[in-house]
Amino acid sequence: MKKFLFATVALAAASAALAEYPEKPITIVVPFSAGGPTDKVARDLAEAIRGPLKATIVIENVGGAGGTLGAAKVAKAAPDGYTVLLHHIGMATSPALYRSLNFKPLEDFEYLGLVNEVPMTIIGKPGLPANNWAELQKWLKDNQGKTFLANAGLGAASHLCGLLFQQSLKMEMTTVPYKGTGPAMTDLMGGQVDLMCDQTTNTTAQIAGGKVKAYAVTTPKRLTTPALAKLPTLDESGLKGFNVTIWHGLYAPKGTPKAVTDKINAALKVALKDPGFVKRQEDLGAVVVSDARANAAEHKKFVSDEINKWGPVIKAAGQYAD
Ligand code: ASP
């Protein structure tokens, strides 16, 4: 009887705690440096979701190893809804890139919903003599073996794009890894590296401001964002079939109570309809996902499909780490 009473009281206390969630700030872990593309999406999303979630949101940047350190940190965090992860396509490409990955994308997380899709751009340092795609191709040929391509490490979007770019051009470049394309952008603008393939959430303002040279977009269709609209696609520029579109999703550690994940998902759905958020994303070339994709089932199915899609492509390119 005593035991039963204790269990009932404990259960009541647990559900009261859930009913009150959130009672303290929620940390969104960004697995890349501050000031980069994923960080920008996270900070915009934090702004839009804090109202519907009735919580203070803190952003924690855990960069390194192409996003895998931050993802592993959240996989091992307490499943209480106070630590969540905003991650991108790296969630689906890392399993093929790392021989021993320190988290399991399909087993270690509760899926909270997709957030957005982001095209990428091929950009160059301001002093690069090439002013358009044709000139860039010639410059690359003339400088074979001497070009430096920045990326955010194995597992990053910039790594995937750069890998396919070199493969399609049948040219090898020296890659320079950073903890995120935020710091890589600083070095590109300073001329320390030559080229980068990076998400429009990080490149649109720099292209519009003439701080970097822009050559092409990685999507099959041209973009409509004013600063990017004149850029050709890589596909139309001769790299037939080139198509890299980055996406972001939100995750909680496995075992986070459903009452909590439901609350986060409901708030995410509201945030994705926030006109300010939608506009800020559009201005950066990104597209916010529809309601139908902002849920656990669609999100998990999509990640699983992406793992199956990119695995063979990456294995064929023969790049992986221990
Ligand atoms: N998303 C990374 C960042 O925020 C860049 C990348 O994946 O290439 O820095």
Side-chain angles (χ1 to χ4, degrees):
M1 180 64 178
K2 225 179 181 178
K3 237 183 187 170
F4 173 75
L5 244 176
F6 179 74
T8 317
V9 170
L11 210 75
S15 51
L18 290 182
E20 280 153 27
Y21 172 86
E23 290 181 303
K24 57 179 187 179
I26 297 168
T27 298
I28 298 183
V29 171
V30 172
F32 295 100
S33 309
T38 302
D39 183 67
K40 287 196 181 89
V41 173
R43 284 174 202 273
D44 269 359
L45 181 66
E47 194 58 31
I49 207 171
R50 69 188 163 94
L53 208 43
K54 298 187 185 67
T56 301
I57 311 281
V58 177
I59 304 290
E60 186 186 350
N61 298 90
V62 185
T68 59
L69 298 184
K73 179 169 180 167
V74 176
K76 289 172 190 72
D80 56 9
Y82 291 104
T83 308
V84 297
L85 170 72
L86 180 82
H87 201 358
H88 67 9
I89 193 167
M91 195 65 145
T93 55
S94 298
L97 286 164
Y98 285 81
R99 277 202 192 88
S100 52
L101 191 61
N102 42 7
F103 63 93
K104 294 191 184 72
L106 296 173
E107 289 167 37
D108 290 350
F109 300 97
E110 303 295 340
Y111 281 61
L112 301 171
L114 287 160
V115 174
N116 68 359
E117 287 195 341
V118 194
M120 300 190 89
T121 43
I122 304 290
I123 55 173
K125 64 182 179 186
L128 209 74
N131 288 316
N132 54 45
W133 172 251
E135 289 177 15
L136 179 66
Q137 269 185 306
K138 180 170 178 330
W139 184 83
L140 285 171
K141 241 188 217 145
D142 294 345
N143 289 278
Q144 280 239 44
K146 289 187 273 177
T147 50
F148 292 92
L149 176 69
N151 71 28
L154 224 76
S158 46
H159 168 264
L160 176 72
C161 180
L163 181 66
L164 300 179
F165 187 62
Q166 293 175 78
Q167 206 181 28
S168 312
L169 286 171
K170 299 185 181 59
M171 278 179 198
E172 276 200 22
M173 299 167 202
T174 305
T175 51
V176 186
Y178 293 79
K179 283 188 177 176
T181 51
M185 178 65 91
T186 307
D187 273 11
L188 184 77
M189 290 192 301
Q192 279 94 318
V193 285
D194 300 311
L195 288 170
M196 179 159 71
C197 179
D198 195 17
Q199 295 158 75
T200 58
T201 33
N202 198 34
T203 65
T204 305
Q206 315 297 1
I207 294 171
K211 303 236 170 67
V212 293
K213 294 204 169 173
Y215 299 103
V217 295
T218 63
T219 42
K221 271 195 190 160
R222 285 190 182 214
L223 307 177
T224 52
T225 306
L228 310 170
K230 58 179 184 308
L231 294 177
T233 68
L234 284 174
D235 179 81
E236 77 182 67
S237 307
L239 305 189
K240 277 275 151 265
F242 200 105
N243 179 7
V244 182
T245 303
I246 306 312
W247 42 268
H248 289 90
L250 210 52
Y251 308 80
K254 188 77 186 171
T256 305
K258 186 161 183 316
V260 169
T261 57
D262 281 352
K263 274 194 179 173
I264 301 174
N265 176 256
L268 174 65
K269 285 190 159 153
V270 176
L272 296 184
K273 289 200 197 79
D274 179 318
F277 178 66
V278 173
K279 168 89 170 58
R280 276 194 300 280
Q281 292 296 297
E282 274 173 12
D283 288 347
L284 296 177
V287 180
V288 171
V289 301
S290 67
D291 223 39
R293 301 184 70 203
N295 64 66
E298 283 302 313
H299 182 187
K300 194 164 186 177
K301 184 182 177 308
F302 180 70
V303 173
S304 163
D305 289 348
E306 286 277 287
I307 290 174
N308 294 333
K309 170 179 159 182
W310 290 110
V313 177
I314 290 164
K315 292 219 163 95
Q319 280 223 351
Y320 41 80
D322 288 324

